[in-house]
Structures are given as C-alpha cells and as structure tokens.
Amino acid sequence: MLSPVLHRHCHLFLVTGRSEDSRGLGSFQDMARSISMEAAGLTLPFLILTFLTISAASSTNQIQILNAERRIDLSSHIVKVFLTLKVENVMTAPASEIVLAFPPAQADHLALVKAQAAIGKKKKKSYVHLDVNPTELPDAPNGTKYFSISLLNPLSSGETATLEVLYILTHSLEPFPAEISQSESQLVYFRDSALILSPYHVKQQTTFLKTPSTKVESFTRVEPTKFAGRELKYGPYEDHPPYSFSPVIVHLENNSPFAVVEELLREVEISHWGNIQITEHYKLVHAGAQHKGVFSRVEYQSRPSFSGTSSFKHLLASLPPRVHSVYYRDDIGNISSSHLRSDYRKSELEIEPRYPLFGGWKATFVIGYGLPLEDFLFESPDGKRYLNFSFGCPLAETVVDKLTIKVGLLLLIICFHDAVVVLPEGSKDPSAAVPFPVEQRLETKYSYLDVVGRTVLVLEKKNAVPEHITPFQVYYTFKPIFMLAEPLMLASVFFLFFVACLAYLHNDLSIRK
C-alpha cells in the first residue's frame, strides 16, 4: 500500500507526464527528489519521538533494585522517610542516574529530597552528597513526580551501588477525629503504600514505620505484616514489577505539637557601621485536630499529663551566638514569658505565648535581636561584599508554609523598625546563592533621605522544614564612600539652616532708618 505522499506524487506524474524520454526522465528524477524530501520531513519528528520514548524506556529497564529498605518516622507531624537502595545495572550501557518516583498524594506535600552514596565497607564507610533534580518520564502515570539522582561515576554493566535517600513530607498526617476536646488524645491517619513506588523492578523490599507511642488503633495488613512495640513492619516482599502499589492506612496516636508557621517574614538589616538587626514576624497556628468545647485553665494546669496533651505552650528558637538586644512581643506589647540562654557557641530563646495553643488556635508575634557585623559580613576575592547567614525558621520542629527573607543594608547607625531591609543607594549587582530552589525578585524601596530609591532583594520559599536551615550568601558591590552620603546630606542641611539663621539675625530688614 502506498503512503499518502507517494500516492499523491504518482497520481500527478500520470496526469502531467510527457511523451519525450529525456524530459520524462528529468521529471521523474525531480519528482523522486521531492518525494524523498517530503517523506523525510514527515518522518523526522516521528523518529525523534520514537527515539526518546525508546531511550526513556530503556533507561528504566537498565536499572534493577536488588534491595530496598524504607524507614518512616511518624514520631512528629513532620514525616521523615529514610530510604536505602542497592541498585544494579543489568544492561550493557553505563547508567549515570537513578530515578525516584512519588505518588500524587505525596508529591504535593514533598518538602525536601536529599541523596548520598555510600563508599567503602563497614568501619571505612563514608558518604558523598549527590545532586537531586526534578525530572520527567514520558510514560509516567498521571500525577507521578520524579527526581533524578546523579551518580558520581556511571554504573557499568553488572556493577552495584548503595544510595541513602532522605525525603520529608509535611501536612501528611490527617487528624481523625477532626475535632477533640481538651481531655482527649489526638489520633491521625497516615496513608502510604506497603510497596515502594518505583519505575524499576524491585527484587526485595521492606518498610518500617516508627510510631510515637504503642497506641495504634488500626492498620492495613499486607502479609507479611508485623507490629511490635512502636514499630510496624511491612515485608519483606519479593520480585515486584515497576510501579507496583499497595495502599495502606495506619490510624495511630500522635500528640506531638503540630506547630505550623503560616507565614514568616524575616528582615535582615545590615549597617556597615558594625551591626546587623534581625526582625522576624510570625503567624503561628496549631494544625492538629480542632479544639471543641470550652477551655478550662484550672484543669489544664492541675492535670498537665491528661489535659491538653496535644497542645503546646512554649517553643524553642535556636539563634546565632553573641546575640544582643533580644525582644519578644506581639500586638499588645512586650511578652515577658521568655528565657534566653547564650554562650560563644549558640543561643537559645525559649518563648511562651500568652495562652496555650490547641488545634486551630493561632498566635502572631515578633522576635528581634542584634548581631555583630564582623561575624556575618565578609569580602570575596573579587572585591564583592557578601552576607553569610542561615536560611529557614529558627523554631524547632515547625513547618513554614511561606518563608520570606529580605536582606539589605542601612547607611546609618539608627535602624527604623518600619523600614524594609534594602540595599543602599549606590549598591549594585545584588544576588543570592541558596543551596536549594527559591523564588528571587527585586523591589525598590524609598527610605529616609533617598533620591533614587534602594534595591530590595526578596527570597521566598514555600514548605520549609528544619532541614532547610543551611547557610546562604547574598553578594553585592558597595563603595564605602556611599556610607558618607546621608551623614553629609544631614550635615549640609543643618549647616544651611544655621547659615540662614545667622544671616537672618545679622541683617536688618526693617524699613525705618
């Protein structure tokens, strides 16, 4: 059967052909060339698509997971999953990456994915960090999210490697019942799969779930299943094809504080005169089971081990060493129920809201403190200044739905709390180096005595967890001469004012002689 292109051209040749041999031969050659060019144009995209599909399919068939061990920590409202994979290259071509797959229910709550490779054996074993980046597969099930782990050295045929993976899930524990009274314990649902979702064939796998207490209401059984003490074990399971999935539900007790910061705004004010001022605005909420009924403070204080077990009344913030001028306040005023412990290595601020937080209750407050400039501001070899500070929320065991950091400089010693942290006039080329993806944007802020405005560097991160507390750098160029701009402007204004006063006093403006 002729293709549509060939059929159309043959039809044209029969209708428009010539009787002369030489001319007919030339027409036939021209037509053949046009047929081959058009057919090539039609088949090239198809060949490319076919090649990509085959290469993607071959890459997933290239790796086999010999053993997978997954340990899920449910002791907090932040779910931490430790995954150990022993992989093997079963094809002849070398493999340079390993793909992780996450179901749609977990993809929306995924906060962090980290991987490292184990090198050596037993006492000489060491770990090397591996790059992890989002990726896509053409034959992926709907909603599946993939991450690619880049290996240090490609795996040859028959070679094996051991990978250690940590990924963290937030908002993955569903309170059930959704409302509890002051004297009731908090029960939650955790949904997952007894089998690890993977694009590879898994020869053997085991899953362990660590529960916060021995009280487990119910759990799905996928034999072999064993529950002892505070550990629920699924497996071992043998020889499961790619994308195997066996949903399980665990109903357990979890009275840990579900502390969630809905929004955190951190303002970093840098003064080249020797000080860094940090101001953090918190919107805190208890994201556990909603509190129902009335609150009895007498019962809460007289029976602390039975009343309000899932609530929390204090939080611990880890601050940098050598902090000074620490304050903790809300819209009403200063909150005196705080304790600061500081030394040359670290500083800890224990804060207590005005009332204990039950499920659904909220609190807003501000934490501020000062730091010495020489501990955090440095100069790079290329002459740029850079700030080296910690990203993330200093409160322990909290999830931040939206974290915004604004970093900049002030020219004067006096810091105004209502001023946005911005770069001074004269600063150029602001940039940030953060070890994970964040949203960056530039804004313009007009402050006191500004003419052209100052550049605001804003960093935003959603779904931040304690593991995001890592150093980051903000680079900029700044000439020290600009430090004298506003002081000279103020001095000039005062000088002109006094000159005007002297001129007024020494001149006689009366009209009489």
Side-chain angles (χ1 to χ4, degrees), residues 465-506:
V465 291
E467 281 69 17
H468 285 122
I469 302 178
T470 55
F472 75 102
Q473 296 76 37
V474 176
Y475 293 86
Y476 61 94
T477 57
F478 178 71
K479 297 181 179 180
I481 192 63
F482 285 101
M483 295 176 60
L484 303 176
E486 291 182 359
L488 290 176
M489 188 182 301
L490 289 174
S492 301
V493 169
F494 281 105
F495 176 75
L496 294 176
F497 174 75
F498 286 119
V499 169
C501 291
L502 290 174
Y504 175 77
L505 294 175
H506 286 79

Side-chain angles (χ1 to χ4, degrees), residues 180-183 291-302 307-309 311-313 354-359 361:
I180 58 175
S181 62
Q182 182 175 337
S183 59
H291 175 73
K292 68 176 181 179
V294 296
F295 168 64
S296 173
R297 184 172 288 274
V298 174
E299 180 183 353
Y300 183 80
Q301 294 180 346
S302 60
S307 178
T309 54
S311 66
F312 59 92
K313 61 180 180 180
R354 295 186 182 274
Y355 47 85
L357 291 182
F358 287 81
W361 292 15

Side-chain angles (χ1 to χ4, degrees), residues 144-381:
T144 304
K145 189 173 184 179
Y146 295 93
F147 285 86
S148 172
I149 303 176
S150 301
L151 302 176
L152 290 176
N153 300 310
L155 285 180
S156 303
S157 178
E159 190 177 359
T160 62
T162 301
L163 305 179
E164 301 283 346
V165 180
L166 166 66
Y167 62 92
I168 298 178
L169 304 172
T170 60
H171 303 288
S172 295
L173 299 181
E174 177 189 354
F176 186 83
E179 295 182 352
I180 58 175
S181 62
Q182 182 175 337
S183 59
E184 291 180 300
S185 296
Q186 180 174 256
L187 301 177
V188 296
Y189 275 144
F190 176 70
R191 293 177 170 85
D192 205 336
S193 172
L195 303 176
I196 299 173
L197 183 67
S198 175
Y200 309 118
H201 179 84
V202 184
K203 295 198 67 175
Q204 184 177 6
Q205 58 181 305
T206 310
T207 297
F208 299 89
L209 281 81
K210 179 184 176 182
T211 60
S213 66
T214 57
K215 185 177 180 180
V216 176
E217 297 291 321
S218 63
F219 57 88
T220 306
R221 290 188 174 273
V222 181
E223 298 299 337
T225 303
K226 181 182 179 181
F227 177 66
R230 295 173 54 190
E231 185 176 82
L232 177 60
K233 179 182 178 181
Y234 285 100
Y237 305 111
E238 308 284 344
D239 290 324
H240 281 274
Y243 297 108
S244 297
F245 196 84
S246 180
V248 296
I249 300 178
V250 183
H251 194 202
L252 67 152
E253 181 186 59
N254 190 331
N255 287 317
S256 63
F258 279 39
V260 175
V261 180
E262 295 181 327
E263 186 175 354
L264 169 57
L265 173 60
R266 173 185 290 174
E267 299 178 350
V268 183
E269 302 178 353
I270 307 172
S271 171
H272 278 204
W273 297 92
N275 184 61
I276 298 179
Q277 181 65 36
I278 311 296
T279 308
E280 299 174 345
H281 304 264
Y282 290 87
K283 293 183 179 179
L284 181 68
V285 64
H286 190 307
Q290 301 286 314
H291 175 73
K292 68 176 181 179
V294 296
F295 168 64
S296 173
R297 184 172 288 274
V298 174
E299 180 183 353
Y300 183 80
Q301 294 180 346
S302 60
R303 305 176 59 192
S305 58
F306 298 98
S307 178
T309 54
S310 62
S311 66
F312 59 92
K313 61 180 180 180
H314 61 81
L315 293 169
L316 185 65
S318 298
L319 305 181
R322 300 179 63 188
V323 297
H324 61 84
S325 306
V326 181
Y327 63 88
Y328 165 51
R329 67 167 186 256
D330 57 8
D331 294 337
I332 300 176
N334 184 60
I335 305 176
S336 59
S337 56
S338 61
H339 305 280
L340 176 65
R341 298 181 294 270
S342 179
D343 56 27
Y344 68 95
R345 293 178 301 175
K346 64 178 180 178
S347 301
E348 293 182 344
L349 177 65
E350 185 178 5
I351 62 175
E352 183 175 344
R354 295 186 182 274
Y355 47 85
L357 291 182
F358 287 81
W361 292 15
K362 299 182 179 183
T364 58
F365 55 89
V366 178
I367 297 177
Y369 52 92
L371 296 169
L373 182 67
E374 62 270 14
D375 292 351
F376 301 94
L377 190 65
F378 308 95
E379 186 173 355
S380 60

Side-chain angles (χ1 to χ4, degrees), residues 357-511:
L357 291 182
F358 287 81
W361 292 15
K362 299 182 179 183
T364 58
F365 55 89
V366 178
I367 297 177
Y369 52 92
L371 296 169
L373 182 67
E374 62 270 14
D375 292 351
F376 301 94
L377 190 65
F378 308 95
E379 186 173 355
S380 60
D382 59 355
K384 286 188 174 183
R385 309 291 178 92
Y386 70 93
L387 170 73
N388 187 36
F389 206 70
S390 294
F391 201 92
C393 176
L395 298 181
E397 290 299 317
T398 57
V399 176
V400 183
D401 291 338
K402 182 181 179 182
L403 171 61
T404 304
I405 297 180
K406 296 184 178 182
V407 183
L409 307 173
L410 295 175
L411 293 179
L412 299 177
I413 303 177
I414 302 175
C415 297
F416 302 95
H417 295 301
D418 57 346
V420 181
V421 182
V422 294
L423 296 173
E425 293 181 307
S427 298
K428 298 180 180 179
D429 305 325
S431 62
V434 188
F436 40 81
V438 296
E439 295 182 7
Q440 300 186 29
R441 70 175 186 270
L442 297 177
E443 298 176 354
T444 302
K445 171 67 177 180
Y446 289 90
S447 186
Y448 297 93
L449 302 179
D450 286 345
V451 178
V452 297
R454 308 181 186 186
T455 302
V456 182
L457 180 60
V458 183
L459 307 177
E460 286 190 1
K461 172 68 177 175
K462 295 182 179 180
N463 207 14
V465 291
E467 281 69 17
H468 285 122
I469 302 178
T470 55
F472 75 102
Q473 296 76 37
V474 176
Y475 293 86
Y476 61 94
T477 57
F478 178 71
K479 297 181 179 180
I481 192 63
F482 285 101
M483 295 176 60
L484 303 176
E486 291 182 359
L488 290 176
M489 188 182 301
L490 289 174
S492 301
V493 169
F494 281 105
F495 176 75
L496 294 176
F497 174 75
F498 286 119
V499 169
C501 291
L502 290 174
Y504 175 77
L505 294 175
H506 286 79
N507 289 333
D508 187 6
L509 302 179
S510 61
I511 60 175

